[in-house]
Amino acid sequence: MSEHEDRDIILDLFGELDETEHADLEERLATAPELRRRRARFHAVIERYRSEGEEEPPPVRIASSRPGRSTGWLLRIAAMLLVASLAFFAGRATREPGTGEPGGDLDALTMETARLRRQVALLALQQRRATERIAAIEDLAAQAPGDPALAGALWRSLRDDPSVNVRLAALDALFSAPGIAPPSADVERLLASEPETAMRLALVGWLAAAQPAGWEEALREVGESDESTAVRSRVRELLGGVA
Amino acid sequence: MTVRRWVWLLSLLALPVPALGATQEVRLADPGAAAQVVFRVPYAVLEVVGSDRDGVRMTYDAPEEGDARVHLRLTAQGNRVEAVDPGNAHLLKVRIEVPRRTDLRLETSNGGPLRIVGVEGVLEVVNSNAGVELTDVAGSIAVSTSNGPIVADVTRVDPGGTVSLVTSNGRIEVTLPADFAGRVLAESDTGPIESDFRVRVEAPRGLPRPGRVLSGQIGSGAGLLRLRTNNAGIQIHRR
């Protein structure tokens, strides 16, 4: 069962798939009994909450130690994913003996929950609003700061997100996870393509702090070629006057 | 013959008159719901003002003599209203009146200062080579510009919401409600950082940051205050 399929099932239950995506999912469901069983269990949990008259699922602290952080509909999905994962494993333990699966194994449940939480955060990186993408990056950074898969998502945001504010949030998250610095050549390419002076200033600071192999040469190159006086001056300061 | 005389003459002939200044207005499909306004036009001096009207009204003026070809149009789909002209090459003065509860996505450049007054929602602003001024705003805010200051007077921040202000070569001055609570990360490469709030200072996570940094927690909330500039100061005021 792939993360992609779980994500599509959950989104479909909340009516978030368009017609084409829904039709594609229905086609897959028609030929995959296990997929249909998962959808039925997720659906049962959601319906139980609705029938008990709760408009919102119980508050669930998703990612960080900061209480009450709200990401709107994503929080609802994330809460449902956690509950659905609990129901799923509870169901497997009581209804599917002899499958060889861990069943009620707490470790397996913890891993599944963490996987689903990362899925929600990665989905949130595709949100239309920059403020929601910033919130998603904050959650990713708090969940697993050294996770290479998450580092890849943060790097893509730093390289490709159209919002300077989001790119800065991605850089902040990479600052907080020193073990996942990319090669300095990649950072040099990023510096060459970054249009905003404020971001290039932040990037040279990060390069000087992370110090990946070849960082001094990369900084000198930027210090000689950057179009901004402020960036060139900053590089000189970071290199201690040796430009 | 001056341009204005041409306009008068052409209007007599009932020929299309190039717009020297114009007002457009669109109504929202659902006045009870929040509006979304998208403005993506370079070279604009833009002011957005919250009001009690049910629709969106845009007035613009091309102040340069002879600048007659301005094709700025408001289009509406449901509660989403757009004025998009990425090919604009004229300096425009634009004023947009929106319902007070409106999400804004504003992008301009090389025009002049951008102002927002009295709007509540998700406010995303991109400017360049000029400042950004937000007065009496509320919600979640992401602003970036270059070579200009950012001054923001925020009356309320969404629970768990974000205030992210990024500029280069410009000061940042933000006023927040007294009950704002959340994580703060303010950076300036060389300028001073001052805060009226009591900040529980914590070392930034992970790598040390060069330059001047204020990192920590205000109260016990889940908000995020992220401020970055390079060679100017940062001031955080408390209402």
Side-chain angles (χ1 to χ4, degrees), chain B:
Chain B
M1 185 152 56
T2 66
V3 174
R4 289 194 183 276
R5 279 207 168 229
W6 272 113
V7 169
W8 173 79
L9 182 64
L10 289 172
S11 68
L12 292 180
L13 298 174
L15 289 175
V17 178
L20 290 176
T23 297
Q24 296 174 48
E25 192 161 351
V26 296
R27 297 188 62 81
L28 299 178
D30 181 0
Q36 301 166 43
V37 171
V38 177
F39 179 91
R40 286 208 304 271
V41 182
Y43 304 109
V45 181
L46 175 63
E47 180 181 55
V48 179
V49 180
S51 71
D52 294 328
R53 58 178 60 247
D54 287 340
V56 176
R57 175 186 171 106
M58 179 174 71
T59 305
Y60 62 90
D61 184 37
E64 297 172 21
E65 275 292 332
D67 240 353
R69 294 187 185 278
V70 176
H71 302 291
L72 200 55
R73 292 289 181 266
L74 280 180
T75 59
Q77 188 171 11
N79 271 25
R80 180 182 168 93
V81 178
E82 291 192 358
V84 177
D85 184 7
N88 174 60
H90 305 281
L91 183 65
L92 298 174
K93 285 179 62 177
V94 183
R95 176 184 166 94
I96 305 178
E97 293 174 49
V98 302
R100 181 166 172 83
R101 278 182 60 226
T102 297
D103 294 340
L104 298 176
R105 188 183 296 178
L106 311 176
E107 295 179 28
T108 189
S109 57
N110 300 312
L114 190 157
R115 295 184 66 230
I116 303 174
V117 181
V119 181
E120 174 183 330
V122 178
L123 311 179
E124 298 180 5
V125 176
V126 178
N127 198 7
S128 68
N129 293 315
V132 176
E133 182 180 342
L134 280 57
T135 304
D136 185 25
V137 298
S140 279
I141 299 162
V143 173
S144 70
T145 189
S146 62
N147 298 318
I150 300 176
V151 180
D153 175 23
V154 184
T155 59
R156 182 185 60 78
V157 180
D158 288 340
T162 295
V163 175
S164 172
L165 310 177
V166 179
T167 184
S168 58
N169 294 325
R171 66 187 177 89
I172 295 176
E173 184 175 348
V174 59
T175 301
L176 296 172
D179 62 354
F180 172 78
R183 191 163 77 88
V184 56
L185 179 57
E187 282 185 289
S188 173
D189 291 337
T190 58
I193 303 174
E194 300 166 356
S195 170
D196 292 346
F197 284 91
R198 177 170 291 187
V199 178
R200 193 167 66 249
V201 174
E202 299 163 354
R205 296 178 292 193
L207 296 167
R209 291 174 181 262
R212 302 183 182 194
V213 178
L214 173 63
S215 168
Q217 183 75 25
I218 297 172
S220 59
L224 172 64
L225 177 63
R226 180 67 173 104
L227 310 173
R228 174 156 178 101
T229 183
N230 59 309
N231 65 352
I234 295 175
Q235 292 178 304
I236 306 170
H237 298 303
R238 182 180 181 194
R239 284 182 164 275

